């Protein structure tokens, strides 16, 4: 019985195999020779802030390690969503990475009506950068010096306001959790950044604020603001005598803003390994650690897997908090 198998010329078959092998080898070579050109590091916040300082300080050391410039690109807007969207939509080759955070990669999808990416699927985790500290502070003109005294004052003055650097920020989240756990019903007053809120706190126009420590630390050290507690799991090295909110009586309370490096989804493993090694090494340098610690930032690298796990668990945890507090941003 005659065979009806399709005829495929041997020369064409050999050519196809060679092409496929060459393509695979080319891709592998491109990944293993990474980087061969400058790397764009997108910071989804304005220049001049803590995130900008971290990116530029660490980026300089990463560039030295990899032998290629790391170009910082500030793309602020929409709580960081604009910049991280650019990262999510970039080619998956490692030449565009982003400065993600607890807000962009865990909180924003739950509070913004439209987020143009899914932090669980549209990024490749590379390394944790570290954490910042949120401080609960009051004006020196107020009499309270402890968290229990503030809670008692808030219950005696229904509708007491607290300021933050903006709606949907980790500071807003910290304040909402505090209000929920203490049943004080605090009223949120969002500002456009820490500076104008601090000015009003110093001027006595507002009485309570949840702020990122780096912005408020100079005023606390100068005695112009009083720090009642910090929101993280541990005390801040720069404020060793200030308790955590858990130590002050709110068992289980912890909001610790974290930051990490992400690339687009499906980055090749050799690229992730090269970037991870460079960032972890940079963050371990004493000069880098000292400079960032002085600004109130706690540098800490991690494996890519650790950052991915953190992203997933925090996404789920803060989704529940945002829903309970009805935090929304148009």
């Amino acid at each position: 019985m005659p065979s009806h198998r399709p005829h495929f010329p041997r020369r064409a078959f050999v050519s196809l195999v060679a092409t496929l092998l060459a393509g695979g080898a080319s891709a592998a070579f491109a990944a293993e020779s990474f980087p061969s050109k400058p790397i764009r590091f997108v910071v989804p916040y304005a220049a001049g802030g803590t995130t900008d300082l971290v990116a530029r300080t660490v980026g300089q050391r990463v560039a030295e390690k990899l032998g290629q410039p790391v170009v910082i690109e500030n793309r602020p807007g929409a709580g960081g969503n604009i910049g991280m969207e650019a990262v999510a939509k970039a080619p998956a080759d490692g030449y565009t990475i982003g400065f993600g955070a607890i807000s962009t990669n865990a909180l924003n999808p739950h509070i913004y009506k439209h987020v143009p990416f899914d932090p669980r699927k549209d990024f490749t985790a590379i390394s944790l950068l570290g954490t910042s500290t949120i401080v609960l502070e009051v004006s020196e003109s107020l009499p309270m010096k402890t968290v229990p005294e503030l809670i008692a004052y808030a219950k005696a003055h229904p509708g007491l306001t607290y300021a933050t650097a903006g709606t949907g920020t980790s500071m807003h989240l910290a304040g909402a959790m505090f209000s929920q756990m203490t049943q004080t019903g605090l009223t949120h007053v969002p500002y456009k950044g820490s500076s104008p809120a601090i000015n009003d706190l110093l001027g006595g126009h507002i009485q309570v604020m949840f702020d990122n420590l780096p912005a408020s630390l100079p005023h606390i050290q100068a005695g112009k603001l009083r720090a009642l507690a910090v929101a993280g799991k541990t005390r801040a090295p720069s404020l060793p005598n200030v308790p955590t909110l858990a130590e002050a009586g709110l068992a289980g309370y912890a909001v610790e803003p974290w930051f990490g490096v992400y690339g687009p989804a499906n980055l090749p493993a050799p690229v992730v390994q090269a970037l991870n090694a460079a960032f972890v090494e940079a963050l371990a340098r004493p000069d880098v650690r000292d400079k960032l610690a002085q600004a109130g930032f706690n540098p800490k690298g991690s494996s890519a897997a650790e950052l991915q796990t953190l992203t997933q668990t925090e996404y789920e945890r803060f989704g529940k908090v945002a829903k309970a507090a009805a935090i929304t941003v148009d």
Side-chain angles (χ1 to χ4, degrees):
M1 185 173 180
S3 171
H4 293 288
R5 287 180 300 176
H7 176 66
F8 196 83
R10 185 174 183 277
R11 181 178 296 177
F13 176 77
V14 171
S15 176
L16 175 62
V17 171
T19 299
L20 291 174
L21 289 175
S26 176
F29 176 78
E32 291 174 1
S33 63
F34 174 87
S36 59
K37 61 182 181 180
I39 297 169
R40 181 173 63 136
F41 193 6
V42 178
V43 178
Y45 307 103
T50 303
T51 53
D52 193 53
L53 171 67
V54 174
R56 294 180 188 278
T57 302
V58 179
Q60 180 182 352
R61 298 307 184 187
V62 169
E64 293 172 1
K65 171 70 173 179
L66 296 178
Q68 289 290 344
V70 173
V71 181
I72 308 301
E73 180 180 319
N74 297 93
R75 297 193 66 174
N81 292 343
I82 291 176
M84 291 308 288
E85 179 185 11
V87 176
K89 294 181 177 179
D93 54 14
Y95 291 102
T96 297
I97 56 178
F99 196 115
I102 183 176
S103 54
T104 56
N105 290 71
L107 180 60
N108 286 4
H110 301 293
I111 64 177
Y112 280 81
K113 292 182 179 179
H114 174 67
V115 176
F117 53 79
D118 185 333
R120 299 165 298 175
K121 301 176 181 178
D122 294 337
F123 298 103
T124 299
I126 294 172
S127 172
L128 189 68
L129 284 166
T131 60
S132 185
T133 300
I134 293 175
V135 61
L136 167 57
E137 59 194 2
V138 297
S139 168
E140 272 293 311
S141 63
L142 289 184
M144 75 275 299
K145 296 184 178 180
T146 68
V147 171
E149 289 175 354
L150 173 61
I151 294 172
Y153 182 86
K155 289 184 176 180
H157 298 80
L160 179 67
T161 59
Y162 72 94
T164 72
T167 300
T169 60
S170 54
M171 290 78 80
H172 182 190
L173 182 69
M177 284 184 62
F178 179 87
S179 182
Q180 287 177 24
M181 293 180 69
T182 59
Q183 298 182 334
T184 47
L186 300 181
T187 300
H188 180 225
V189 180
Y191 283 74
K192 292 183 178 180
S194 290
S195 293
I198 290 173
N199 288 338
D200 273 5
L201 188 62
L202 292 170
H205 303 296
I206 55 174
Q207 298 174 304
V208 183
M209 182 174 179
F210 284 84
D211 192 30
N212 263 332
L213 181 56
S216 287
L217 185 58
H219 304 289
I220 295 171
Q221 293 173 330
K224 296 179 179 179
L225 297 177
R226 182 184 301 127
L228 300 186
V230 293
K233 295 178 182 178
T234 59
R235 295 191 180 196
S238 53
L239 295 175
N241 297 322
V242 176
T244 66
L245 277 162
E247 290 175 330
L250 276 67
Y253 185 105
V255 177
E256 200 164 48
W258 49 263
F259 306 86
V261 186
Y262 296 84
N266 303 316
L267 280 187
V271 171
V272 176
Q273 292 164 6
L275 287 168
N276 175 268
F279 273 97
V280 170
E281 182 177 308
L283 289 161
R285 290 178 59 105
D287 59 330
V288 171
R289 298 185 66 82
D290 289 346
K291 183 173 183 178
L292 298 184
Q294 289 174 8
F297 188 83
N298 311 309
K300 180 184 179 183
S302 74
S303 69
E306 287 171 334
L307 177 57
Q308 180 59 38
T309 298
L310 176 68
T311 303
Q312 180 67 37
T313 56
E314 293 282 86
Y315 178 92
E316 295 173 357
R317 181 164 82 103
F318 289 123
K320 296 175 182 177
V321 174
K323 183 177 180 180
I327 301 174
T328 58
V329 182
D330 292 331

